[in-house]
Amino acid sequence: MENATLDDKAFSLVCDSRSQLGESPVWSEAEGVLYFVDIRGPSINRFDPATGELQRFMQSEEIGCIGLIRDGGFVAGLRSGIWRLDRQGNPIGKLADNPEGIEFSRFNDGRVGPDGRFYAGTVDESRQNKAKLYRYDRNGLVPLIEGLMTSNGLAFSPDGKTLYHVDSPVSKVTARDFDGRNGTISGERVVIDIPDNPAARPDGASVDVEGCYWVAIFGGAVVQRFSPAGKLMAEYPVPVKCPTMPAFGGPDMRTLFVTTAGSRRPPEEMAQFPTSGSLFAMRAPVAGVPAPFFDENI
């Protein structure tokens, strides 16, 4: 896949992966590849844009999110808790149990923060607003945001001073002051109020070097870009109905990838969008922020 072949106004297919529920794309600068998960697959996937090769590392349970570790392997949020995995996604050890239990809860959207800690939220499948966003470090899991249905949209500003988050059914992107010294947040405020539409909800997100917030609209077939002040600057069509999370990558960090969903969708939708669940990309107007590594010593 060459940057010259990518559109700068819309997403195009780059990997016909057909995930059930693609999520958590993370670019590895060292390897020049994109990792992403298939939550329901369940698997970690390694896509090499230079060769088009896709590798799948199967998991024994649903996997919601991953972060890279400098020496190789992953920190990951699975249904049962936070795990340390090797380069092929094999379990090395559980770092923390899912404190909400696993009958109606699993880890969902998450990423490594600019401080090197792992931040991951859950989904409350009982729909009683019991999900949370957590911080994980060597002292264990600490809840940061509570009373959620579907923790999503987690991203950090380029200067590392702001944490963005959204509870998908609420459709309001919030910002909080972030203190990377101890991984705490304060000063909640709504920065983006996405029009309420049960069929199109904000999902995963990423931030570019200008501090703009890029969010996938699940069910809306677009990725939207908002200014730091919350103004809609642009939206970019995705050729399937349900994009899930964007991530910047490529040699210059200006390739914007987006994962998508391909299961539990109406048959007519799947017939109209047969590549649902695959990986798409476009040429972004600006670069993204490289993904930090998880620091096991914090």
Side-chain angles (χ1 to χ4, degrees):
M1 182 195 75
E2 299 292 338
N3 282 337
T5 66
L6 295 179
D7 196 333
D8 62 359
K9 297 180 174 60
F11 286 89
S12 56
L13 179 69
V14 292
C15 179
D16 193 8
S17 52
R18 305 291 177 101
S19 299
Q20 293 188 51
L21 182 54
E23 272 283 8
S24 193
V26 185
W27 178 257
S28 169
E29 291 186 282
E31 299 178 70
V33 302
L34 186 81
Y35 288 99
F36 62 98
V37 308
D38 180 355
I39 293 179
R40 298 178 186 138
S43 63
I44 297 175
N45 301 272
R46 182 185 187 272
F47 172 63
D48 186 342
T51 65
E53 181 185 14
L54 177 69
Q55 295 176 276
R56 297 187 194 272
F57 307 129
M58 302 308 296
Q59 301 296 299
S60 61
E61 58 181 286
E62 292 159 302
I63 178 167
C65 53
I66 53 173
L68 303 179
I69 298 176
R70 188 179 299 276
D71 295 334
F74 311 92
V75 57
L78 287 85
R79 177 172 285 274
S80 63
I82 307 298
W83 285 79
R84 172 75 159 88
L85 309 176
D86 70 12
R87 294 174 184 269
Q88 283 74 46
N90 300 308
I92 294 175
K94 182 187 279 189
L95 303 176
D97 288 322
N98 180 349
E100 300 167 21
I102 62 173
E103 186 178 4
F104 296 111
S105 172
R106 64 166 175 80
F107 275 94
N108 190 52
D109 182 60
R111 65 170 69 243
V112 177
D115 56 341
R117 297 178 175 91
F118 191 51
Y119 295 82
T122 54
V123 171
D124 178 10
E125 296 168 334
S126 68
R127 306 186 67 81
Q128 297 181 39
N129 290 62
K130 295 180 179 179
K132 300 178 179 68
L133 174 69
Y134 295 90
R135 177 188 74 232
Y136 174 78
D137 56 28
R138 63 180 182 178
N139 294 315
L141 276 176
V142 175
L144 297 179
I145 305 175
E146 304 187 27
L148 307 172
M149 185 85 74
T150 306
S151 183
N152 249 322
L154 179 65
F156 294 86
S157 61
D159 62 8
K161 294 182 179 180
T162 304
L163 178 151
Y164 296 99
H165 181 265
V166 64
D167 186 6
S168 286
V170 179
S171 294
K172 296 181 190 298
V173 179
T174 57
R176 293 167 174 82
D177 299 327
F178 178 73
D179 184 346
R181 293 170 299 179
N182 49 25
T184 56
I185 56 176
S186 61
E188 177 186 356
R189 61 233 182 239
V190 175
V191 291
I192 302 169
D193 193 350
I194 296 173
D196 186 48
N197 180 357
R201 297 295 197 187
D203 202 324
S206 189
V207 169
D208 63 36
V209 293
E210 296 180 352
C212 294
Y213 183 84
W214 296 71
V215 59
I217 306 299
F218 187 96
V222 296
V223 171
Q224 295 180 328
R225 184 189 187 209
F226 290 89
S227 73
K231 178 183 177 182
L232 179 61
M233 301 178 68
E235 64 177 28
Y236 300 90
V238 182
V240 296
K241 194 76 170 176
C242 295
T244 55
M245 184 175 178
F248 289 88
D252 59 1
M253 294 299 291
R254 282 188 58 191
T255 299
L256 186 64
F257 297 95
V258 67
T259 50
T260 64
S263 69
R264 302 183 185 176
R265 306 302 304 166
E268 59 272 17
E269 178 182 316
M270 296 303 296
Q272 184 178 359
F273 305 107
T275 56
S276 293
S278 295
L279 183 68
F280 301 83
M282 61 168 280
R283 186 70 174 156
V286 296
V289 180
F293 290 107
F294 175 63
D295 187 342
E296 298 174 278
N297 298 313
I298 294 180

